[in-house]
Amino acid sequence: MLLKCINCSYTYDIDKIIYLCEKCNDLLEVVYDLDKIGNKLDSTWKNIPLSVWKYQPLLPIDTNIDRVTLSEGGTRLHRLNKFSSFINIKNLYVKNEGDNPTGSFKDRGMSITVTKAKSLGASIIACASTGNTSASLAAYGARGGMKRIVLIPTGKVAYGKLSQAMVCGAKVIQIESNFDKCLEVIMELSANFPDIYLVNSINPFRIEGQKTLAFEIIDQLGHVPDCIIVPIGNAGNISAIWKGMREFLELGLIDKLPRMIGVQAEGSSPVVSAFKAKKMEATKILKPDTIATAIRIGAPASSKKALRAIYDSKGYAERVSDKEILEGQMNLAKLEGIFVEPASASPIAALKKLIRKGIISSDDEVVCIATGNGLKDPDVVTNFLKKPLEVKADLTSIKNVIDDEME
Ligand code: F0G
């Protein structure tokens, strides 16, 4: 098992604390000797209940290492019945990552990365975040008994996420800038102070935990879907899901790959722009903006990996407006009872457009990744909803209101 640069293929020891290639400054990934792993995967492994750690043979953590875990993964895959006929897709699913311990997919990678950090003797973990990574870092850092630092942008960070980070004892520092600057600063900080271990998704161990999302989808469906639609922010998650799929294919556990479709918000869509221009790398947007604050990112750190996932899978990238995001979020909740946060609704919001453009057909089996729980950021939707009616506490007044509402 090694760390390998995705550009120059230079390799590093798996225990070296390093986030970017020392030769060419590009992204790193964990590579395995898959032949050896294949021999370890006997049939009993298939019957272990779903969780991130079910896939230990394909994770970069030895069995003898103490895990920092809150029982992450094993999230529900919901078949959408009403919403699928509304949108005219026969086989439509939502993988609800809001089921994770801190309410987002980040917990998958955080468990692996904090476990790795601890095993390497790190005592301080740190990240830049639009909210969810900070909540996850704070919880897993508490569990692992480590100091924890998070940098968040000023302005619209969802209070649900911020309060999680604060309650779980992270030192939360708000930087007078956006997420992209926060990431730049935290990378410099960890480069200058090696005792600060960086857990943003440029850390390849994060991707390793997150790739279990792919394994679970295959386990839950019993096969590979035609398309997986993922919101893109810093671009780690789509890269992770694709890596997981490729590893299962190489191991002979599946015989086809899904098309990976990435979705960004209109005001924050550098990866979509790169895709439409057939480029391999995204160009930074200076002032990203969207109500989906989780993905308000102008310079996604893993854009190269994400674009490779999209091109190699013959996938697609699409942008959606804030209005479409809100509509998608409301429809998913109203028709299926699944309340997700705005960024997480972007795949659902993109469906109509993707069908209209012929990117997906009504016969395709489609899995949308709902990355985070709606309770993380309730203000966005409640601002658009009618306030509850106030009435006197007598039956006639209440019945009148019920009758009016039913009309
Ligand atoms: N959805 C949610 C709810 C997120 O919090 C994020 C990223 C994404 C999607 C995008 O995933 O970055 O892997 O492409 N949130 C990060 C954070 C940036 O700091 O919490 P990605």
Side-chain angles (χ1 to χ4, degrees):
M1 197 190 312
L2 289 165
L3 292 170
K4 186 175 174 185
C5 173
I6 65 161
N7 175 46
C8 71
S9 298
Y10 198 82
T11 56
Y12 301 88
D13 188 276
I14 196 76
D15 287 336
K16 184 173 166 75
I17 298 184
I18 181 173
Y19 310 107
L20 292 171
C21 179
E22 284 172 354
K23 304 278 166 207
C24 70
N25 214 33
D26 218 321
L27 299 164
L28 301 172
E29 65 178 0
V30 178
V31 289
Y32 300 86
D33 183 344
L34 288 175
D35 288 341
K36 269 195 204 150
I37 291 174
N39 299 334
K40 279 198 237 162
L41 300 177
D42 56 23
S43 56
T44 52
W45 171 75
K46 293 220 158 133
N47 300 326
I48 301 171
L50 286 187
S51 83
V52 164
W53 293 95
K54 166 177 181 169
Y55 307 100
Q56 190 278 331
L58 273 165
L59 294 173
I61 308 286
D62 288 340
T63 42
N64 60 347
I65 287 176
D66 282 344
R67 297 172 183 174
V68 181
T69 175
L70 288 161
S71 295
E72 42 294 324
T75 59
R76 284 164 280 205
L77 181 73
H78 300 282
R79 191 188 170 96
L80 303 187
N81 293 322
K82 278 196 264 164
F83 192 84
S84 53
S85 43
F86 169 73
I87 206 93
N88 194 26
I89 297 176
K90 289 190 201 106
N91 295 305
L92 179 62
Y93 294 84
V94 158
K95 176 82 169 150
N96 192 2
E97 287 291 288
D99 287 343
N100 274 302
T102 75
S104 86
F105 71 98
K106 305 285 181 182
D107 297 340
R108 293 180 184 274
M110 203 56 75
S111 176
I112 301 298
T113 312
V114 175
T115 298
K116 184 72 192 173
K118 209 173 161 166
S119 77
L120 293 173
S123 58
I124 309 173
I125 53 174
C127 72
S129 179
T130 56
N132 281 322
T133 306
S134 69
S136 190
L137 171 147
Y140 284 83
R143 195 79 170 165
M146 297 150 106
K147 288 198 182 128
R148 35 218 184 274
I149 301 168
V150 304
L151 302 193
I152 55 162
T154 41
K156 310 170 202 163
V157 172
Y159 218 72
K161 303 172 190 180
L162 196 53
S163 55
Q164 282 180 295
M166 294 190 298
V167 169
C168 289
K171 181 158 269 319
V172 179
I173 305 169
Q174 204 152 22
I175 303 287
E176 283 175 14
S177 191
N178 58 20
F179 169 84
D180 302 302
K181 186 71 191 169
C182 291
L183 185 59
E184 228 178 277
V185 172
I186 202 81
M187 284 175 70
E188 259 177 61
L189 202 68
S190 69
N192 282 291
F193 302 97
D195 54 332
I196 298 181
Y197 186 87
L198 187 65
V199 304
N200 276 102
S201 58
I202 60 156
N203 182 325
F205 292 99
R206 282 276 309 282
I207 303 297
E208 292 310 294
Q210 286 174 208
K211 76 184 180 187
T212 59
L213 233 170
F215 303 158
E216 286 188 7
I217 291 170
I218 295 165
D219 267 358
Q220 286 169 307
L221 283 176
H223 56 260
V224 180
D226 296 307
C227 306
I228 299 184
I229 314 185
V230 193
I232 296 183
N234 211 22
N237 206 29
I238 190 166
S239 318
I241 296 171
W242 180 239
K243 186 172 192 283
M245 289 289 172
R246 279 187 295 123
E247 285 176 0
F248 258 32
L249 185 79
E250 271 185 58
L251 284 164
L253 297 169
I254 53 175
D255 56 12
K256 73 165 212 180
L257 290 166
R259 277 181 290 141
M260 300 300 301
I261 301 179
V263 183
Q264 292 192 297
E266 251 171 28
S268 275
S269 48
V271 175
V272 181
S273 300
F275 173 77
K276 306 248 173 197
K278 299 190 172 60
K279 288 191 188 151
M280 291 308 293
E281 229 171 312
T283 308
K284 180 175 182 167
I285 289 178
L286 287 180
K287 289 196 175 149
D289 197 24
T290 166
I291 51 155
T293 54
I295 53 172
R296 197 200 291 141
I297 295 178
S302 296
S303 69
K304 255 194 183 177
K305 284 186 181 175
L307 282 160
R308 278 189 196 183
I310 294 168
Y311 291 127
D312 290 353
S313 70
K314 301 191 172 43
Y316 197 74
E318 189 53 278
R319 47 174 72 90
V320 284
S321 66
D322 282 356
K323 186 167 170 281
E324 288 168 320
I325 290 176
L326 274 173
E327 267 168 23
Q329 188 184 13
M330 300 272 199
N331 284 334
L332 185 63
K334 274 194 185 149
L335 293 170
E336 303 284 353
I338 303 171
F339 180 28
V340 302
E341 68 164 282
S344 312
S346 58
I348 287 286
L351 287 172
K352 263 194 209 161
K353 222 180 262 178
L354 293 170
I355 292 181
R356 201 176 58 235
K357 290 187 175 179
I359 305 300
I360 53 177
S361 84
S362 62
D363 291 327
D364 280 336
E365 187 174 58
V366 178
V367 176
C368 293
I369 310 297
T371 41
N373 192 305
L375 294 173
K376 293 254 190 186
D377 191 7
D379 294 351
V380 172
V381 266
T382 45
N383 287 340
F384 290 91
L385 293 171
K386 274 197 279 174
K387 301 281 169 281
L389 290 168
E390 269 184 48
V391 293
K392 295 213 170 67
D394 67 78
L395 292 193
T396 317
S397 310
I398 296 169
K399 187 66 173 48
N400 284 342
V401 170
I402 294 172
D403 291 343
D404 280 353
E405 289 288 303
M406 295 297 184
E407 272 173 16

